[in-house]
Amino acid sequence: MSRGPFLGRLFRFAERRPGWIFLGVALAVAASLGLAARLRFDGDMLALLPERDPVLVAYRETLELFGNVEYLPVAVRIPEGAPVDPYQGFAVAIADELAGSPLFSAVEARLGDPEELLRAFLPKALLYLGEEERRQVAERLGTEALANRAREIRRLLETPQSLGIKQLLALDPAGLTPVLVQHLGAGRGTQGIDWASGHYLSRDHRLLLVLAKPVRSPQDIAFDREVMAAVDAATARARAAWPEIAGEDSGPPPEVVVGGTYAIALADAELFRRDVVWNVVTSVAGVLLAFAFVPLACGLAVTFGFAKLSVGVLNSATAGVAALLVGLGIDYVIVLYNRYVEERQAGADLGAAFDRLAGAPARGVVGGAVTTAATFYAFLVTDFRGLFQMGLLVGTGILLCLVAVLLLAPAILAWNEAHHRKREREPVLRLHAFGAERIVSWAMASPRAVLTGAAVVTLVLGAFAFRLRFEDNVQALRPPGNPGVLATEEISRHFGSGFDYLMLRLEGRSAEEVLDLADRAARAAAPVVERGELGGFESPTFLVPPLGRQREALAWLAEERGNALAPARVRADLLASLAAEGLRSEPFGDGIELLAAALSATEPIRVEDYHATREGRALLERSLRRHGEEWRGLVKLYPPPNTPKRVVPPAAEALAAEVGEGAELTGLRVVSRDLRGRVHLDALYAALLGTLVVALFLWWDLRRLRLAVLALLPLLVGVVWMVGAMGALGVAMNFMNIFVTTMVIGIGVDYGLHVVHRWREDRTHGETVARSGVREMARAVVLAVATTVAGFGSLYVSSFPGLRSMGLVAVLGTVAAGAVAVTVLPAALALGAGERGGGPR
């Protein structure tokens, strides 16, 4: 091949001028390390997925508009049975501290002042209500009911808790608030609001929330670090003020936890950084004894410099690049060093040994690197950004490691020889075989038995392969000990379903059009919830009722104002009832006027009414807001209890279909289901494309179809063994380890190509020499397997479940491909030689 003369000249230059090689590589490494130091880490699992996928785009847009991804929830724990008031003061103290920081655009410890909320809602409170709720209001405003209400007010004012509720009682003397809260609380999202205080308080009174909105994206890790430092400082100052807030005998300050995307991203980034460093150190440490440290370390440095220029960021998929490259690149060093040791032990001098290395061994290394890179580059056709970036970085990294090995391996060997000559002694040349020669001798002596046994193992593991399952839950790839995740889960437990909901995304040209869709969805969801097919729902129509219902309420009010709900009668009965209980009417004056306004309502509630106050706007924009020239709405659909995370309830899909045009079901469950099928197809397509490219390359390189097929044996059989072992061990395929199959293609082809190259090279000297050559090559393959396992094994101690699964699958695939390469492939070569007779093949 034309590569031989070039490689020969390269090796001879390295022999004569190793210092020039070292200098050039050192300069490239220094520049690359400067670039690599500026790499960022992105802990967003959604960053691994297709950027322009319509399902994912809808999910991201919905989260940005209505979700909590942009908020930092700071949770204050309340001991069981403790009074809530001091803890609410503690939460307000934290909010006040954070509000003074330029890092946050908004900070809320409560939705708003309860008095302001009542003043805003009560004048039109009756328009929210349906027929049954209107009947309840009519009963509450009867003469006897008002008398009972006055007695209840007096009793409450005589309790120790009256200080906190006195003003609320004054603003709602008729007691309409419970009916209104029952209506507003019908959705899951409002259950975290304590309407008596306006605080974000869980129903079990064990957790309070402060919601802060940082001014920048959570993907900015340096900013996340500033945000968390600000929260820590605010919490420390609030703790110092705890005795003043709660009294000297109040006990220790409350515990505070921080959840949400900012806390999760920062914790993930710190783990990423540690994992990358750990993977580099342990991967390289695992192969130090294989004369590989310097070439692989230089190849890694240049690869990370390339990563800065090409993608600029590492994520949970690309954090394992170091282990992958070390595991793959070590093969090239071992093959060359194995042949160098063999030639030197046979009596060749350094120049002759290098000439031999530059021939078939170096061509095999180049061929192996090209085929491995091609299998990873096959992932450049996928839309999955995590797999695309992994394919780009590992494919390019393989070629960069190949260049580093071809430059540095001969240069180091030449320098080592010169160093020993100066000391007038011979270098110690050894390479442990791990019994590889005996294994190959046995396989080639009993080819039919080996092939029969391999066929049985393949059939058994092939059957187990059908048990393989796919884990499509992206969140399952996160580290389980992430404090931000744990805090978010705690918040979810206390606030009901929390963040586990599907989102019915509504689109319209006007707010009224979106509200009509929301009403249609709410009416369809109510019976579904009653049947238990959904756990609950929340609709913007809880805040802005459908115009038809409001007109019914207005017509009812107009009719009843001349009868049971005459404002003058209600006012007179209420004043008389208060007086009968010895209560002065003056403190209730504003409340009585609000009640009169409610009974006198003649205009419907509109979106503009909410936008008139900060509290109203904040409440409405959780489920209805303008988006450019259009409007967007959100109906939250909560799955039934104990629904698996990967399942989209059929009732939710049916509800979306019933609402029709303008409604789209989204959520992490929907995204996972959509991408599950796509990642299967993309991985299969990439694997087939990679295999096709490899097969064509082998056919071109080896010039014989039979030899090309034999070189593919470690790949084809090894993949079956790997997948079968995964099924037998219960190891699931996921978005991250699925591409390891492509990596095994590269490894399997490398092993097969090296063995076949050596067989073909030595076969011209007779079968005995060819068998001896295969035994020598098996030594390199076994050592390559051992070092590759050491490299990939470092992933198994990663903090990230996805990386751990990658390490385990890579180890299974490497061991399987290596086992086939030193048993099945030599047996097939020997059997073919015996059947065809002795001559060269």
Side-chain angles (χ1 to χ4, degrees):
M1 293 183 181
S2 60
R3 294 167 298 192
F6 169 76
L7 293 174
R9 290 194 300 272
L10 177 64
F11 278 37
R12 284 192 293 273
F13 177 79
E15 178 187 359
R16 294 192 303 268
R17 296 285 188 270
W20 286 100
I21 298 288
F22 295 151
L23 177 61
V25 172
L27 292 175
V29 168
S32 298
L33 289 176
L35 291 170
R38 297 159 56 194
L39 271 172
R40 294 185 299 106
F41 297 85
D42 186 356
D44 185 5
M45 289 296 171
L46 295 180
L48 305 178
L49 305 179
E51 186 174 14
R52 292 181 293 275
D53 179 79
V55 174
L56 186 60
V57 168
Y59 177 59
R60 279 187 175 278
E61 180 185 292
T62 305
L63 283 181
E64 289 168 1
L65 284 172
F66 301 110
N68 44 37
V69 290
E70 293 183 351
Y71 283 89
L72 182 78
V74 181
V76 178
R77 291 172 175 159
I78 304 173
E80 187 172 2
V84 173
D85 292 354
Y87 294 89
Q88 291 176 336
F90 184 81
V92 170
I94 292 177
D96 290 343
E97 293 285 350
L98 294 179
S101 169
L103 300 176
F104 305 98
S105 61
V107 181
E108 298 177 356
R110 57 185 185 178
L111 179 63
D113 187 333
E115 295 180 23
E116 294 300 323
L117 289 173
L118 283 177
R119 292 181 187 276
F121 279 102
L122 280 179
K124 293 187 176 181
L126 303 183
L127 304 187
Y128 290 98
L129 309 181
E131 183 177 354
E132 174 59 25
E133 294 160 327
R134 293 196 293 267
R135 186 191 60 78
Q136 294 178 27
V137 166
E139 291 179 355
R140 284 175 177 268
L141 296 180
T143 301
E144 184 177 349
L146 290 173
N148 292 335
R149 173 62 177 171
R151 285 191 290 271
E152 177 68 9
I153 290 174
R154 179 168 182 169
R155 184 189 67 78
L156 291 172
L157 290 175
E158 292 173 350
T159 63
Q161 294 81 19
S162 64
L163 187 62
I165 63 173
K166 184 180 297 183
Q167 189 60 28
L168 298 181
L169 293 173
L171 288 175
D172 183 26
L176 299 186
T177 303
V179 180
L180 179 61
V181 170
Q182 177 184 350
H183 175 80
L184 293 177
R188 295 292 189 90
T190 55
Q191 69 181 19
I193 299 174
D194 175 27
W195 293 95
S197 64
H199 281 273
Y200 299 107
L201 176 66
S202 62
R203 279 187 174 176
D204 59 6
H205 284 204
R206 296 298 305 278
L207 214 62
L208 276 163
L209 282 185
V210 175
L211 296 179
K213 187 173 184 180
V215 297
R216 287 159 66 181
S217 163
Q219 277 66 54
D220 185 339
I221 301 302
F223 176 72
D224 295 346
R225 195 171 287 109
E226 292 183 53
V227 165
M228 295 303 293
V231 173
D232 289 341
T235 302
R237 287 190 287 270
R239 285 175 176 272
W242 175 245
E244 181 182 345
I245 295 172
E248 294 296 335
D249 300 327
S250 56
E255 297 177 349
V256 175
V257 294
V258 184
T261 310
Y262 291 86
I264 293 171
L266 180 60
D268 277 353
E270 298 298 337
L271 288 173
F272 280 156
R273 200 176 298 274
R274 289 198 295 270
D275 273 10
V276 168
V277 174
W278 175 255
N279 286 335
V280 171
V281 171
T282 54
S283 300
V284 173
V287 298
L288 275 178
L289 298 180
F291 185 55
F293 172 73
V294 174
L296 292 182
C298 293
L300 287 178
V302 178
T303 299
F304 281 117
F306 171 77
K308 171 59 183 175
L309 295 176
S310 58
V311 297
V313 63
L314 294 182
N315 52 47
S316 57
T318 52
V321 163
L324 293 173
L325 292 180
V326 169
L328 292 165
I330 186 60
D331 295 3
Y332 313 141
V333 182
I334 290 176
V335 168
L336 293 177
Y337 186 65
N338 177 70
R339 189 59 179 270
Y340 169 77
V341 170
E342 182 184 343
E343 295 297 332
R344 294 288 279 136
Q345 288 178 342
D349 61 17
L350 181 62
F354 274 15
D355 286 341
R356 291 287 185 89
L357 284 181
R363 291 198 304 271
V365 165
V366 172
V370 169
T371 55
T372 301
T375 58
F376 278 96
Y377 281 147
F379 273 102
L380 299 183
V381 302
T382 182
D383 291 331
F384 286 80
R385 284 180 290 172
L387 297 185
F388 178 93
Q389 292 176 8
M390 177 63 78
L392 176 64
L393 294 185
V394 177
T396 305
I398 284 295
L399 298 179
L400 293 173
C401 284
L402 170 68
V403 172
V405 168
L406 293 178
L407 288 172
L408 289 172
I412 293 172
L413 290 173
W415 178 86
N416 186 54
E417 292 270 0
H419 176 72
H420 281 85
R421 279 198 301 270
K422 289 180 182 179
R423 295 175 177 266
E424 297 182 347
R425 66 184 185 187
E426 291 294 321
V428 178
L429 302 174
R430 296 178 57 189
L431 198 64
H432 203 291
F434 297 100
E437 294 97 331
R438 292 193 296 272
I439 295 173
V440 172
S441 296
W442 165 74
M444 300 186 83
S446 308
R448 286 187 169 83
V450 170
L451 294 177
T452 300
V456 172
V457 172
T458 303
L459 288 174
V460 172
L461 290 178
F464 276 109
F466 289 99
R467 297 186 180 183
L468 184 68
R469 61 184 179 85
F470 189 86
E471 174 58 70
D472 57 3
N473 181 12
V474 177
Q475 300 302 322
L477 305 180
R478 288 196 181 280
N482 185 310
V485 172
L486 295 177
T488 302
E489 291 175 349
E490 180 180 351
I491 293 169
S492 297
R493 287 194 301 271
H494 285 281
F495 283 81
S497 296
F499 308 122
D500 183 20
Y501 51 80
L502 293 108
M503 298 176 284
L504 189 62
R505 181 173 178 264
L506 308 174
E507 299 182 7
R509 289 168 295 182
S510 65
E512 290 72 19
E513 186 176 335
V514 172
L515 287 169
D516 285 343
L517 292 172
D519 180 45
R520 197 183 310 168
R523 284 187 281 109
V528 176
V529 172
E530 288 294 325
R531 295 194 300 266
E533 296 173 14
L534 286 176
F537 71 98
E538 177 187 358
S539 169
T541 54
F542 292 155
L543 301 176
V544 182
L547 192 57
R549 186 196 303 169
Q550 293 194 63
R551 286 171 177 160
E552 291 178 5
L554 289 170
W556 172 77
L557 279 173
E559 180 180 351
E560 294 298 324
R561 274 195 293 268
N563 300 299
L565 298 184
R569 196 276 306 165
V570 173
R571 178 194 295 267
D573 284 353
L574 182 55
L575 290 173
S577 297
L578 293 172
E581 296 299 324
L583 299 173
R584 295 184 300 110
S585 61
E586 290 79 5
F588 298 95
D590 288 349
I592 292 173
E593 292 303 320
L594 290 175
L595 175 60
L599 295 174
S600 304
T602 58
E603 294 292 329
I605 301 168
R606 302 188 185 279
V607 170
E608 292 76 16
D609 297 332
Y610 282 88
H611 288 178
T613 65
R614 182 183 66 84
E615 293 85 356
R617 178 183 289 271
L619 186 61
L620 182 63
E621 288 188 346
R622 293 166 180 251
S623 57
L624 180 69
R625 61 169 59 198
R626 183 185 292 275
H627 182 63
E629 296 299 318
E630 297 185 334
W631 283 77
R632 297 287 187 270
L634 180 71
V635 174
K636 295 181 180 179
L637 304 175
Y638 294 87
N642 303 318
T643 302
K645 293 287 186 183
R646 64 193 304 271
V647 173
V648 178
E653 295 184 278
L655 190 150
E658 184 175 345
V659 175
E661 186 178 356
E664 179 180 3
L665 187 66
T666 186
L668 195 56
R669 293 169 182 259
V670 178
V671 171
S672 294
R673 184 191 61 185
D674 173 70
L675 298 181
R676 186 189 317 153
R678 289 192 54 193
V679 75
H680 289 167
L681 291 175
D682 278 18
L684 178 62
Y685 181 65
L688 292 176
L689 179 61
T691 303
L692 177 61
V693 171
V694 165
L696 292 174
F697 177 85
L698 290 178
W699 192 4
W700 170 79
D701 184 31
L702 297 172
R703 308 299 184 186
R704 292 178 181 271
L705 180 59
R706 175 177 173 274
L707 291 179
V709 172
L710 289 175
L712 287 172
L713 273 181
L715 157 65
L716 301 176
V717 178
V719 168
V720 174
W721 288 9
M722 178 194 73
V723 175
M726 291 175 65
L729 297 174
V731 179
M733 198 74 82
N734 57 48
F735 289 116
M736 291 178 65
N737 67 24
I738 193 168
F739 82 92
V740 173
T741 305
T742 302
M743 184 213 68
V744 173
I745 294 175
I747 287 179
V749 170
D750 280 359
Y751 295 162
L753 185 60
H754 293 320
V755 171
V756 171
H757 259 293
R758 187 60 185 269
W759 171 269
R760 189 180 68 166
E761 178 188 2
D762 291 347
R763 187 72 188 282
T764 58
H765 304 292
E767 187 170 335
T768 301
V769 176
R771 287 173 180 257
S772 176
V774 171
R775 285 195 295 269
E776 289 293 335
M777 181 52 66
R779 178 172 62 180
V781 170
V782 169
L783 185 57
V785 169
T787 52
T788 300
V789 167
F792 285 118
S794 68
L795 291 178
Y796 196 67
V797 296
S798 168
S799 305
F800 290 82
L803 288 180
R804 287 201 300 271
S805 70
M806 284 171 57
L808 178 57
V809 173
V811 168
L812 292 175
T814 301
V815 171
V820 175
V822 299
T823 57
V824 179
L825 179 54
L829 289 169
L831 185 63
E835 291 176 350
R836 290 168 177 262
R841 301 292 178 195

